[in-house]
Amino acid sequence: MTRQSVWPPHGEPAAAVVTIGDELLLGDRVDTNRVRLARGLSELGFRVVWAASAGDEEPAIGDALAEAAARAEVVVATGGLGPTSDDRTREAVAARWDRPLREDPRIVAELRARFRSRGYHDLPAANRRQALVPSGAEVLPNPAGTAPGLHLRVPAPPSGEAPRDLILLPGVPSEMEALLQGEVADRLRGRFGDRLRPDEAMVVHTTGVAESVLAGRIEAVLGPEAGVRVAYRPSVLGVELRLSARGEGAGERLERAEARLAPILASFRFDDPSGDLAGAVGRGLRERGLRIAAAESCTGGLVLRRLTDIPGSSAWVTGGVVAYADRVKVEKLGVPSALLSAQGAVSEGVVRAMAEGVARGFGVEVGVGVTGIAGPGGAVAGKPVGTVWFAVAGPAGTTAERRLLPGDRREVRERAAQHALLLVLRALSENPGGGAG
Ligand code: ATP
Ligand code: MG
C-alpha cells in the first residue's frame, strides 16, 4: 500500500505548473501554457498551489522542478523538449534526480517515419535528441508533433512523503493541449481518482455590459453563502462568466445561482457553443425563418463578415451595403439627402433610414444599420470619437440606439459590430413569432 502524502494535509491533491523557456522571461511570448495548464488541472479536480517559469539553463530548470515537487504531488511542466541545443529539460531532470538519459529505439523509429513521410531521407541529428529518455520515465506519445511527453516519479523532499508525479510536455501550445486533454488527463484520473474534486462549471456569455458593472450587479445577488465562484473573462467583445462550484450539492448550487442571475443577465446574455454572438444571431434568424441584410458605415462590412463567418449562413444572410460615403447612403439605401444635411451622417434619423433601406432594397425581413465615428479623427461637437448609432428594422418595427464605445479605431469598430449583433438578437427575442406568423 502506498503511503498517503502528508502534504497537503487534506482535500484534493495539490498540483504545480512549471513553464520553461527564455522567451517567457524575456517577454517575447505570452505564457499561455501556464494559464491552460492551471485551468486544465483545476478542472480535473486538483488544487493548483504554485506556478513558476524558468529560463533555458539546466540548473534553473532543475531548481524550478524541485521546488514545484516540494510543494505539490503533481508537477506538470512544458517546454524545452525540442530538438535544439537550448532545449535542456531532459538534461535538467537527468542531472537533478540522477536519471541517466538513454535513447529509446521506438521513439527513434517514430521520428524517422515522421520525417520520411515529410520527404526527408533521414532523421536530422538534432531531432535524435528527442528520443532521449531519463531512466525510469514513461513515454507519452504526442499525437500532434514530434517531441513525446515524459512521465516519471521523483522522490518528495522531505523524504517520507509519497513520490511526486513529474510530467514533462512539449512547449508548442497545441501539442501541450492535445497531451493534457488525452494521455495526461487519463493518467492523472487513474492515479488520483476519488481524491479529485472536479469543478462543476457553467459558462455564460455576455456582451454590451462592462465587467465592473456586471460584477457589481452579480455580487449584489450572489454572496459568498451561495457557494458558487464567479470568474470574469473580459475581452473587447464582452465578458465571459464562468460559474463554478465544488463538492456536495455543487450542481444544485449552480442551478440556484443561475436562476438568481437570470434577471440581471437577461438583456446581455447569449448562448453559443463557441461564444460567438453571430452564431446565436444566426440560430435566432434560422428558427424564425427570417433573413438579414446590413447597411454599414463605420464598421465597413464587419457585421456581414461576422455573420458570414458562420457556416451555413447563406440560409439567413442576404448581403449588404458598405455605405461609407454619404452619396452611397443616398443612392444605394435611399437615405433622404435632406435628413443627412439636417442631422448629419451619425444620427438616429440616418441610421433608421439605413436599416429600413437595406431591408427594403434586399427584400428581407431584418435590416441592421450602423453609422458612427471610429476615430481617431472625425469627432464633432456633441459627437465624440466612439459615438455610434445602431438601428434594427424588423417585422415588429424599427428600433434605434446610440452608444459611446471606448477604445481605439479597431476596438470601436469591433465593439460596434458586436453591439449591432446584440441589437439584432434582442429584436429577435422580442419577436418570437417570426416569418411564419
Ligand atoms: P518542440 O517539440 O516544438 O521543440 P519544446 O518542448 O522544445 O517543443 P519550446 O521549444 O520551448 O518547446 O517551444 C516551442 C514553441 O512553443 C515556441 O514557439 C514557444 O514560444 C512556444 N511555447 C513554449 N512555451 C510556451 C508557453 N509556456 N506558452 C506559450 N507558448 C509557448
Ligand atoms: Mg524553448
Side-chain angles (χ1 to χ4, degrees), residues 123-135:
L123 184 58
N127 283 89
R128 205 159 168 141
R129 292 187 58 235
Q130 297 186 293
L132 294 176
V133 175
S135 76

Side-chain angles (χ1 to χ4, degrees), residues 161-353:
E161 290 190 31
R164 307 321 202 189
D165 284 88
L166 177 55
I167 294 172
L168 309 174
L169 301 179
V172 180
S174 58
E175 300 181 16
M176 183 283 288
E177 188 80 38
L179 272 158
L180 176 68
Q181 300 290 342
E183 183 75 25
V184 173
D186 292 346
R187 278 173 182 250
L188 292 177
R189 277 199 201 98
R191 182 149 162 68
F192 291 93
D194 51 4
R195 288 186 59 208
L196 297 173
R197 297 177 71 207
D199 267 358
E200 291 220 33
M202 166 188 293
V203 172
V204 177
H205 303 286
T206 74
T207 188
V209 58
E211 181 188 9
S212 53
V213 174
L214 195 59
R217 292 189 193 166
I218 289 175
E219 278 156 24
V221 298
L222 209 62
E225 80 290 345
V228 169
R229 261 194 66 221
V230 185
Y232 299 83
R233 298 181 195 151
S235 74
V236 168
L237 297 185
V239 181
E240 192 182 292
L241 300 174
R242 184 172 183 274
L243 311 182
S244 62
R246 274 191 177 184
E248 194 86 7
E252 294 89 86
R253 270 181 280 142
L254 272 182
E255 276 174 29
R256 269 201 304 278
E258 196 197 12
R260 265 198 240 171
L261 294 181
I264 292 171
L265 299 176
S267 56
F268 306 112
R269 178 178 186 165
F270 64 92
D271 294 310
D272 181 71
S274 53
D276 186 348
L277 177 56
V281 168
R283 257 187 315 285
L285 289 164
R286 184 196 292 277
E287 281 162 11
R288 292 165 180 80
L290 302 174
R291 289 159 308 155
I292 192 168
E296 302 186 57
S297 184
C298 65
T299 45
L302 212 46
V303 174
L304 269 177
R305 150 92 206 263
R306 292 279 310 276
L307 291 170
T308 55
D309 270 343
I310 306 299
S313 50
S314 59
W316 39 266
V317 182
T318 304
V321 175
V322 177
Y324 213 51
D326 285 354
R327 189 168 61 75
V328 180
K329 295 184 180 77
V330 174
E331 289 175 8
K332 303 293 178 194
L333 295 169
V335 176
S337 311
L339 196 61
L340 273 162
S341 34
Q343 297 192 6
V346 180
S347 63
E348 174 164 8
V350 168
V351 82
R352 283 178 176 270

